[in-house]
Amino acid sequence: MMNLIQKTGLALFLMAMLVFTGMLTKGKYQLSPEGLVISNTYHREAILEAARQQGLFGHEPTSGIAFSSAFKKVLKAAQETQAIRAEKGIPAGVGEWDFKLGDGSFKEYTLDAAKHAYTGPVSSYPGWFLLLTFGLAILGGFLYAIPLFREIPGIRNNHIFHDPLTRGFRGIAAWLGIIAGIYLIVFYILLYWTPQLLTPWIVMVDPISKALNGHEASQWFFYGVLYTVAVLVMGVRMLAKYRHNRYQLIRTGSVMFFQTAFAFLIPEILVRLNYPYYDFKNIWPLNYSFFFDWNLHNLLNSGGLGIFMLVWGIVLIVIAVPVITYFFGKRWYCSWVCGCGGLAETLGDPFRQLSNKKLSAWKVERWLIHGVLVFAVVMTALVLYTYFSGQSQVLFLNSYTVRGVYGFLIGSIFAGVVGTGFYPFMGSRVWCRFGCPLAAYLGLVQRFKSRFRITTNGGQCISCGNCSTYCEMGIDVRAYAQRGQDIVRASCVGCGVCSAVCPRGVLKLENG
């Protein structure tokens, strides 16, 4: 039964969510010529001209949607103007798309304009809104988790499928989970494709961004703050829930540390020092843009540290992944270091039992995840060919088109919208299980050339099913345990939760 402290925590969290969501409806947008902070002179002049012609500077849209619609018309007009001017001749020494206005710049320019046009309570008092949203949510999360430390250690089933928030599509009572899933899906769609509609949220974290990297916040900085806070707060819940297991305590502390330090703080500090933004723990092909021309150019032109970043990334791919995976399995990365895994293990832990354990799901999983790996390898080969040869066309494939398709389908829809938005429907490791190309690479090494396995003692198994219930990777662990068969599945991320919830000590993680 939920006690008073947990109820208070839940109430504070819900208050924070109401304020957080309601912020998007507050404020107006009044754009001025000074608010068009665009470094490209040709683009800025064309946009200024179009904005004056369409009367945008004297107009005050009362919503992000209205402003976005009006500004898109301005960008279209500026695009047509630049296309006509380009026909008469592009100035010497100026690149085609430095002069023309491409569709790829629309999202960036719209967000920048929306941020500088936005006026409202959030822009006037960002600190107060940080307290009313992040502050209350963090306090509420801690209050909810604190009583868990007083419960008897150990995991039982505890009617895990009866909670309306975490039961997937099981019955009408799953409406809480469905609402949470829809909220997450809509959030990711807005984040990736219409970030200007999230302007109040981005403006709210401007003070944090300026303190860390010296620049105004982008949608990705806002997402980094949100992501890190979610891992830390829900990480405390993990520590309380699995405190009877030393491996889980260390593993949870590890993902909290790597997300905070390596994925969030260090890259932002590097930007402040005028170095490239770089996450030292992100590995190709998960970091699919590592070999893109713009990234290679940034690294090669950033002095000794940039060269080190490039070499470090290649060493991780060629040496660290196969060698460390040989000794410890894919768990060293997927369960101890990776940010995607960190979010799945913390924020996604309440939904881990929703993973499909059927053989049919396993068959789909193998085709999908290895298909994405092949896609990533082919795309990278094309990108490197273009970088060294200057030619973008290889047979019937265009490297720029392929990278765009990969970014849209895999980097955005699969990894973001489906990978996290489907937590309440398909469990916490949807991306790791079905789409992550690095997980596929690690899994191949683990399956055929690794000392890691989960050993079983079938004689002690009582068939309680806890192990299969809590396996987020969709592995029917009980079937292996009943046969006394070691688990060496390529998909196993070695989280060890199956061992932590086993009441008889049947399962053991070994590197034998």
Side-chain angles (χ1 to χ4, degrees):
M1 183 67 67
M2 188 182 299
N3 62 30
L4 181 60
I5 296 178
Q6 286 185 315
K7 290 179 179 178
T8 303
L10 182 59
L12 290 176
F13 177 79
L14 291 175
M15 286 174 57
M17 287 301 297
L18 287 174
V19 175
F20 187 68
T21 305
M23 285 168 54
L24 298 181
T25 65
K26 301 298 180 183
K28 295 182 179 181
Y29 295 80
Q30 186 175 12
L31 187 64
S32 66
E34 294 75 19
L36 280 174
V37 185
I38 299 174
S39 59
N40 186 302
T41 304
Y42 299 103
H43 293 176
R44 186 175 186 277
E45 289 177 353
I47 295 171
L48 276 172
E49 180 182 339
R52 290 193 181 100
Q53 290 175 352
Q54 298 191 20
L56 184 60
F57 291 137
H59 184 51
E60 290 188 15
T62 56
S63 71
I65 295 176
F67 176 83
S68 178
S69 177
F71 195 73
K72 185 176 181 179
K73 294 178 182 178
V74 169
L75 290 175
K76 284 290 186 182
Q79 185 181 52
E80 293 174 2
T81 298
Q82 287 303 96
I84 294 171
R85 290 172 177 171
E87 292 177 357
K88 298 178 181 179
I90 297 175
V94 178
E96 179 182 0
W97 294 107
D98 289 330
F99 187 80
K100 291 182 178 180
L101 182 58
D103 292 343
S105 302
F106 279 25
K107 183 166 62 177
E108 175 189 350
Y109 289 166
T110 303
L111 177 59
D112 287 343
K115 284 190 60 185
H116 291 95
Y118 176 78
T119 57
V122 181
S123 59
S124 301
Y125 307 102
W128 282 108
F129 279 91
L130 276 169
L131 287 175
L132 289 172
T133 53
F134 283 92
L136 284 181
I138 292 170
L139 178 61
F142 285 157
L143 288 176
Y144 190 88
I146 285 173
L148 298 177
F149 285 97
R150 300 176 58 185
E151 295 182 357
I152 299 174
I155 301 298
R156 298 163 300 282
N157 196 302
N158 287 339
H159 305 285
I160 193 170
F161 289 115
H162 296 166
D163 189 329
L165 179 63
T166 60
R167 62 185 298 174
F169 291 107
R170 292 178 174 84
I172 298 176
W175 61 272
L176 283 176
I178 294 173
I179 291 174
I182 292 173
Y183 193 97
L184 285 170
I185 291 169
V186 172
F187 166 74
Y188 276 95
I189 290 173
L190 296 178
L191 179 72
Y192 279 104
W193 293 292
T194 57
Q196 67 273 11
L197 302 184
L198 307 180
T199 295
W201 291 351
I202 300 170
V203 169
M204 177 179 62
V205 297
D206 260 345
I208 303 175
S209 180
K210 290 176 181 177
L212 281 177
N213 60 43
H215 300 282
E216 293 180 348
S218 66
Q219 78 267 36
W220 301 119
F221 181 86
F222 159 73
Y223 182 53
V225 173
L226 185 65
Y227 200 108
T228 303
V229 168
V231 169
L232 292 177
V233 173
M234 292 300 286
V236 172
R237 176 188 173 279
M238 280 286 291
L239 294 174
K241 183 177 180 181
Y242 297 102
R243 69 188 185 280
H244 66 292
N245 188 288
R246 182 171 176 267
Y247 178 76
Q248 296 302 320
L249 293 177
I250 298 174
R251 188 177 70 89
T252 303
S254 175
V255 296
M256 293 167 71
F257 166 75
F258 276 104
Q259 172 58 35
T260 305
F262 281 80
F264 182 60
L265 292 178
I266 292 177
E268 299 298 338
I269 293 172
L270 285 171
V271 172
R272 190 177 190 90
L273 298 175
N274 294 319
Y275 286 109
Y277 181 96
Y278 194 82
D279 181 353
F280 284 92
K281 65 174 183 53
N282 204 2
I283 306 175
W284 179 90
L286 178 60
N287 180 15
Y288 64 90
S289 63
F290 181 77
F291 291 106
F292 282 12
D293 46 8
W294 57 265
N295 187 57
L296 294 177
H297 177 78
N298 286 341
L299 296 180
L300 293 172
N301 288 278
S302 297
L305 182 58
I307 299 296
F308 171 77
M309 292 173 178
L310 178 60
V311 174
W312 170 263
I314 295 173
V315 167
L316 284 178
I317 300 165
V318 178
I319 300 176
V321 167
V323 171
I324 302 178
T325 305
Y326 170 76
F327 286 103
F328 301 105
K330 66 194 290 185
R331 61 174 170 157
W332 76 270
Y333 189 80
C334 296
S335 288
W336 287 71
V337 175
C338 179
C340 303
L343 190 70
E345 293 289 354
T346 52
L347 179 67
D349 179 71
F351 307 101
R352 65 187 309 127
Q353 73 277 1
L354 300 178
S355 61
N356 193 323
K357 313 300 191 296
K358 294 180 179 179
L359 182 62
S360 58
W362 184 23
K363 292 179 179 179
V364 172
E365 169 190 335
R366 287 181 293 177
W367 278 102
L368 273 179
I369 196 168
H370 294 111
V372 172
L373 176 60
V374 171
F375 191 174
V377 170
V378 171
M379 176 196 66
T380 302
L382 292 173
V383 165
L384 288 174
Y385 174 80
T386 298
Y387 180 76
F388 289 109
S389 70
Q391 303 296 319
S392 60
Q393 196 72 26
V394 182
L395 299 177
F396 59 91
L397 297 174
N398 183 285
S399 66
Y400 292 103
T401 301
V402 171
R403 77 172 74 177
V405 171
Y406 187 95
F408 175 74
L409 293 178
I410 309 302
S412 300
I413 293 180
F414 208 156
V417 178
V418 175
T420 306
F422 276 45
Y423 277 6
F425 307 136
M426 296 177 63
S428 58
R429 288 270 190 172
V430 180
W431 165 245
C432 311
R433 183 180 174 190
F434 293 97
C436 179
L438 180 56
Y441 175 23
L442 291 161
L444 289 173
V445 178
Q446 174 173 279
R447 178 66 180 84
F448 299 106
K449 283 292 181 180
S450 177
R451 299 174 62 185
F452 170 74
R453 63 204 63 248
I454 299 177
T455 59
T456 62
N457 183 351
Q460 295 294 318
C461 180
I462 59 174
S463 298
C464 68
N466 267 10
C467 53
S468 293
T469 296
Y470 281 86
C471 180
E472 60 195 343
M473 296 304 292
I475 302 173
D476 187 2
V477 182
R478 179 172 60 178
Y480 286 88
Q482 289 173 332
R483 297 193 299 266
Q485 183 178 350
D486 292 350
I487 301 170
V488 293
R489 284 264 287 267
S491 57
C492 177
V493 293
C495 68
V497 172
C498 60
S499 176
V501 300
C502 178
R504 299 296 298 273
V506 173
L507 305 164
K508 186 177 180 181
L509 282 70
E510 294 188 4
N511 295 318

